[in-house]
């Protein structure tokens, strides 16, 4: 790495870890030059790159200051879902969303896909090409049923950041996190069983519940602290729940990150009722601050937590590389994996393993976390300035998804139909509920820093919202 790149990375880490708080003044160019024994031009180049990443801003005749939002928006209300097990609905809306995401010239503001334009992914692209050249008969040979050992070793190393000490043999590679969730549900439940979930909840997991003939019991959820443990305990006393499925870090779509004491309490509750926890940690590595939160799995000494994750939301959706550490359920999950897809293509596994081993993953994460944090603040500012009074917005501490709660009179399915005439789409709130709640809510993505196209789309969206309010 060049000198300015070394300084850039060092300053980025210090900002990420809070050594330089939001709004604080950075060291002067001359001070850094003396401290680091580098030229003034080296420091200037590093500061210019920090500014491009959106981590700092320059104030004339004053210096560089750390950027970031210092106030929390008005958060969504605590959810109040139906207090009984339900069959999941709204597959048609989910299917519609997945189709509109791929339209040419279409601006999808509801999609949960990472920004793949970063130069830090060039090393991964090169690794993919090199893997295709090196792998012997890559298109005809099966991988190990558990997946590539090299990749599993690298995943085990990354898991240490979340407090998990996993052996590579405890990890099973899957076709994205979706297959990890499906195999985990199939290994812990039977058709007709009840699964407790946070609410709103990721439509992929609720649709898996639907496909497996299960019922979802949605638990009230706080936009900052997550699933209500008090409501969950009451539900466990009342209903024959067989598994608990949660996304405790950078939750999709509500954005909460469950505090550590509540994670431990949730695990104790699962122990008390002898239930498995299916933990979706797909956005965990995108937590803005350092260190990232520990997983519930990291506190589990019995193997009752099935930890699921993926590289789809951190690197590229099309890789379709996920993984699961199923604990006590390893053999059952392995069997479900076998009857589902047998194994995964070797080229992607070899490339991602190499990318992690060379340090490319950690560097990419550092840059993307900074980008997403800045984009979050810009998107919240756009929504606050344009949307009507009474709008509530989540404040995620990681990832690139916002949950927006509009006045009760606004129907986001109608809003989405209006927007699609202009080749714009959102993710209506109803698809994140088993019962079709959250009709006045929507999920917005800020994976790419809001540009003029997004700015105009938000203004158009606001115009349509005011029109729907007028018609109500």
């Amino acid at each position: 790495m060049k000198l300015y790149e070394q300084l850039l990375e060092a300053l980025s880490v210090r900002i990420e870890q809070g050594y330089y708080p939001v709004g604080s003044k950075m060291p002067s160019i001359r001070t850094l030059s003396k401290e680091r024994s580098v030229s003034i031009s080296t420091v200037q180049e590093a500061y210019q790159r920090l500014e491009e990443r959106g981590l700092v801003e320059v104030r004339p005749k004053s210096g560089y200051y750390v950027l970031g939002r210092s106030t929390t928006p008005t958060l969504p209300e605590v959810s109040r879902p139906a207090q009984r097990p339900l069959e999941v609905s709204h597959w048609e809306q989910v299917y519609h969303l997945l189709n509109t995401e791929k339209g040419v010239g279409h601006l999808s503001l509801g999609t949960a896909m990472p920004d793949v334009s970063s130069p830090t992914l060039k090393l991964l692209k090169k690794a993919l090409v090199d893997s295709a050249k090196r792998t012997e008969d890559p298109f005809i040979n099966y991988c190990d049923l558990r997946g590539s050992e090299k990749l599993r070793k690298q995943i085990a190393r990354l898991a240490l950041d979340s407090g998990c000490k996993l052996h590579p043999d405890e990890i099973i590679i899957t076709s994205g996190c979706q297959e990890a969730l499906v195999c985990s549900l199939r290994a812990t439940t039977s058709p007709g069983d009840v699964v407790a979930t946070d609410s709103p909840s990721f439509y992929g997991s609720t649709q898996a519940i639907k496909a497996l003939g299960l019922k979802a019991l949605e638990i009230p959820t706080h936009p900052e602290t997550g699933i209500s443990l008090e409501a969950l305990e009451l539900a466990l006393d009342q209903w024959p729940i067989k598994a608990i499925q949660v996304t405790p870090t950078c939750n999709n779509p509500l954005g909460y990150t469950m505090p550590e004491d509540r994670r431990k309490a949730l695990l104790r509750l699962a122990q008390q009722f002898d239930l498995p926890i299916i933990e979706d940690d797909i956005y965990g590595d995108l937590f803005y601050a350092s260190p990232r939160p520990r997983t519930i799995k990291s506190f589990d000494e019995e193997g009752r937590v099935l930890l699921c994750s993926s590289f789809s939301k951190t690197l590229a959706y099309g890789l379709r590389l996920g993984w699961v550490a199923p604990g006590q359920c390893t053999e059952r999950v392995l069997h479900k994996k076998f009857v589902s897809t047998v194994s995964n293509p070797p080229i992607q596994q070899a490339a991602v393993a190499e990318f992690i081993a060379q340090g490319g993953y950690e560097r990419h994460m550092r840059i993307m976390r900074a980008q997403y944090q800045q984009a979050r603040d810009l998107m919240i500012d756009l929504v606050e300035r344009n949307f009507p009074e009474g709008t509530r917005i989540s404040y995620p501490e990681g990832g690139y998804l916002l949950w927006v709660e509009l006045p009760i009179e606004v129907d986001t399915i109608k809003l989405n139909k209006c927007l699609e005439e202009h080749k714009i789409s959102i993710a209506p709130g109803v698809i994140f509920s088993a019962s079709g709640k959250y009709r006045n809510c929507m999920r917005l993505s800020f994976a790419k820093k809001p540009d003029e196209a997004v700015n105009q789309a938000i203004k158009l969206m606001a115009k349509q919202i005011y029109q729907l309010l007028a018609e109500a």
Side-chain angles (χ1 to χ4, degrees):
M1 295 175 70
K2 297 178 181 177
L3 282 177
Y4 83 84
E5 291 177 323
Q6 294 176 20
L7 179 57
L8 172 65
E9 293 304 310
L11 293 174
S12 296
V13 169
R14 288 198 162 196
I15 291 172
E16 181 182 311
Q17 293 177 342
Y19 184 87
Y20 300 126
V22 171
S24 66
K25 185 177 181 180
M26 297 287 290
S28 70
I29 291 174
R30 290 189 180 277
T31 299
L32 272 181
S33 175
K34 290 179 181 179
E35 284 182 357
R36 300 279 178 163
S37 300
V38 295
S39 68
I40 285 178
S41 62
T42 296
V43 180
Q44 288 175 327
E45 182 69 21
Y47 268 141
Q48 184 179 338
R49 297 304 176 97
L50 282 174
E51 192 175 6
E52 290 173 359
R53 289 186 185 180
L55 292 176
V56 301
E57 66 174 351
V58 61
R59 299 179 186 174
K61 299 181 181 181
S62 183
Y64 287 90
Y65 288 79
V66 180
L67 273 176
R69 186 183 178 95
S70 56
T71 57
T72 304
T74 303
L75 296 172
E77 298 277 6
V78 176
S79 65
R80 294 179 175 83
Q83 298 179 352
R84 65 186 187 281
L86 296 168
E87 292 184 359
V88 177
S89 55
H90 296 287
W91 161 242
E92 293 77 11
Q93 283 87 354
V94 172
Y95 182 71
H96 182 72
L97 173 68
L98 296 174
N99 277 344
T100 56
E101 285 178 354
K102 300 175 183 177
V104 177
H106 191 98
L107 178 58
S108 178
L109 292 176
T111 186
M113 294 175 67
D115 182 6
V116 294
S117 64
S118 174
T120 49
L121 287 178
K122 288 181 180 178
L123 183 61
L124 175 59
K125 294 174 183 177
K126 182 178 183 300
L128 283 165
V129 174
D130 292 344
S131 296
K133 293 177 180 177
R134 286 197 309 267
T135 308
E136 184 178 355
D137 297 329
F139 303 109
I140 59 175
N141 287 341
Y142 281 126
C143 277
D144 184 286
L145 184 56
R146 293 175 186 266
S148 159
E149 184 179 9
K150 289 183 179 179
L151 180 57
R152 288 186 281 116
K153 284 181 177 178
Q154 293 301 325
I155 291 172
R157 185 172 68 81
L158 290 178
L160 292 172
D161 292 339
S162 68
C164 274
K165 295 180 180 179
L166 298 174
H167 189 279
D169 288 347
E170 297 179 78
I171 297 167
I172 300 169
I173 305 299
T174 59
S175 296
C177 192
Q178 186 67 24
E179 187 183 29
L181 291 170
V182 169
C183 288
S184 296
L185 284 167
R186 293 181 70 190
T188 55
T189 63
S190 300
D193 284 348
V194 178
V195 178
T197 69
D198 44 14
S199 181
S201 190
F202 169 52
Y203 57 77
S205 58
T206 55
Q207 290 301 321
I209 289 172
K210 174 184 176 70
L212 297 176
L214 306 170
K215 292 183 179 180
L217 178 57
E218 299 175 283
I219 306 297
T221 305
H222 192 281
E224 285 184 299
T225 58
I227 192 169
S228 169
L229 301 182
E230 298 76 17
L232 177 60
E233 186 170 9
L234 288 172
L236 291 170
D237 280 328
Q238 185 177 3
W239 301 101
I241 295 169
K242 298 298 182 181
I244 303 167
Q245 197 277 314
V246 290
T247 307
T249 307
C250 310
N251 176 267
N252 172 18
L254 197 51
Y256 72 81
T257 292
M258 185 182 286
E260 188 170 294
D261 61 336
R262 295 185 69 82
R263 294 172 190 246
K264 292 178 180 178
L266 175 58
L267 180 59
R268 288 195 297 270
L269 205 54
Q271 291 168 339
Q272 178 184 337
F273 287 87
D274 193 23
L275 293 174
I277 296 175
I278 300 172
E279 180 179 11
D280 182 350
D281 190 54
I282 194 169
Y283 294 96
D285 286 347
L286 292 175
F287 189 77
Y288 301 143
S290 180
R292 56 146 294 167
R294 291 184 60 172
T295 55
I296 300 172
K297 178 75 172 179
S298 69
F299 303 110
D300 176 28
E301 297 179 355
E302 303 171 308
R304 72 172 60 249
V305 178
L306 295 85
L307 180 63
C308 305
S309 192
S310 170
F311 297 104
S312 299
K313 306 303 183 184
T314 53
L315 297 180
Y317 185 80
L319 287 171
R320 304 312 304 142
L321 276 183
W323 57 272
V324 54
Q328 295 176 358
C329 297
T330 296
E331 291 305 315
R332 275 177 282 168
V333 169
L334 201 59
H335 179 252
K336 305 305 179 186
K337 162 68 181 174
F338 169 73
V339 298
S340 175
T341 55
V342 182
S343 66
N344 297 90
I347 293 176
Q348 293 96 313
Q349 295 182 70
V352 172
E354 184 67 17
F355 184 63
I356 299 170
Q358 292 185 17
Y361 181 80
E362 290 169 332
R363 184 165 182 264
H364 179 67
M365 286 298 93
R366 191 177 304 127
I367 290 172
M368 299 316 293
R369 283 192 292 260
Q371 174 183 314
Y372 294 149
Q373 184 171 12
Q374 187 198 23
R376 175 202 65 183
D377 296 342
L378 291 171
M379 182 63 91
I380 288 175
D381 184 59
L382 268 176
V383 172
E384 284 182 331
R385 283 191 286 110
N386 290 281
F387 283 24
E389 186 177 348
T391 298
R392 294 173 173 268
I393 313 167
S394 65
Y395 192 60
E397 296 179 81
Y400 40 80
L401 300 170
L402 278 188
W403 183 251
V404 180
E405 183 182 313
L406 297 165
I408 194 68
E409 298 85 358
V410 179
D411 184 334
T412 53
I413 291 181
K414 289 183 179 179
L415 174 63
N416 198 38
K417 288 180 179 178
C418 295
L419 293 172
E420 284 178 354
E421 295 176 7
H422 302 274
K423 292 191 173 182
I424 300 168
S425 65
I426 57 170
V430 293
I431 66 175
F432 300 94
S433 168
S435 60
K437 285 182 68 68
Y438 316 118
R439 204 172 183 91
N440 63 314
C441 300
M442 62 179 167
R443 187 184 72 182
L444 295 179
S445 170
F446 51 88
K448 288 191 176 181
K449 193 183 299 183
D451 54 15
E452 186 56 28
V454 173
N455 193 359
Q456 293 303 317
I458 293 294
K459 289 181 178 179
L460 174 63
M461 196 182 303
K463 182 180 177 181
Q464 298 288 350
I465 290 170
Y466 277 108
Q467 187 172 328
L468 289 171
L469 282 171
E471 296 170 355

